[in-house]
Structures are given as structure tokens and as C-alpha cells.
Amino acid sequence: MLLFLAFLIGIIAGLRAMMAPAVVAWGAALGGFDVSQTPLAFMGYRWTPWVFTLLGVVELITDQLPSTPSRKVPMQFAARLIMGALTGATIGASGGSLVSGLIAGIVGAVVGTLGGAAARGKLAAAFRKDTPAALIEDAVAIIGALIIVGAV
């Protein structure tokens, strides 16, 4: 089950790169799961959730700007893969499967990045505007991350 959750949090990282680590860090810091004896113990440190939350809020704002590059350009894609790996590994590490969680998170990030871009494109075409599609994607990322981390 943890590997499936690691895959799902990777999908969230593909949608919003910083949302996944923000929610995972809050889960670890608030004791929802224990990673204190793992190499990813820093995810449960006092300030980690705050840092990722700030980055997540900045991402939510900048995503609305027309100058923001596509999530599929190398730099954006790489950030999503790294965050998928980090968050998947953190969830996996809580059950002793750090490497498997890392791999599941990367696979999920690829699915979330490509699938999220396609879904947002279709929504934006249906609305004839990108903003409603972006806000729906934001909501899916936030609610999805909370549900996934709550299930860990």
C-alpha cells in the first residue's frame, strides 16, 4: 500500500512540484508517520514544512503567470521528478522501503507531469481560459496530497 501511496504522491508532484513535499513534510513533522531514523529525517524537522509550504504558495502564484514555462521543459520536468523522488522515498521510508518509494515517486511524477499537462490543456480548451483549469488543478493537487498523506 505504501508504494501505491508513493506513486500517488509522485503524481501530485507532477501536478504541483512543491505541493507534494509541503504536505509530506507536514505529515512527518506532525507525527503522521515516522522517518526520524531514516536518511530523510529532515522531512520531519520543525522548519522543513514551513519552507516547502512557502515554496508551494509561490508556485501556486507563479503558475498563474503567462510567462511561466511549460512543466514539460527540462528544468520544470526535472524539478517534478526530484520532488516525486523525494516525497515517494519519504513515504516509502516510513515503512522501510525508501528505494522502492523513490522509484514509485519518480514514475508517479512522470505520469502526473504528462497527464496533468494534457488534462489542463483539455480543461483550458473547454473553459476557453487557462485560469479555471489551473485553479482546478491546484485544488486536485492540494486535496489529493492531503488525502494521500492522511492515508500513510
Side-chain angles (χ1 to χ4, degrees), residues 68-82:
T68 302
S70 166
R71 73 185 80 200
K72 297 187 284 184
V73 300
M75 184 73 78
Q76 296 280 343
F77 202 102
R80 285 164 164 71
L81 294 178
I82 291 166

Side-chain angles (χ1 to χ4, degrees), residues 6-7 10 80-82 84-86 88 101-112:
F7 170 76
R80 285 164 164 71
L81 294 178
I82 291 166
L86 172 65
L102 181 141
I103 293 167
I106 290 171
V107 172
V110 171
V111 171

Side-chain angles (χ1 to χ4, degrees), residues 79-115:
R80 285 164 164 71
L81 294 178
I82 291 166
M83 290 303 127
L86 172 65
T87 56
T90 303
I91 288 174
S94 72
S97 300
L98 187 147
V99 174
S100 298
L102 181 141
I103 293 167
I106 290 171
V107 172
V110 171
V111 171
T113 300
L114 300 177

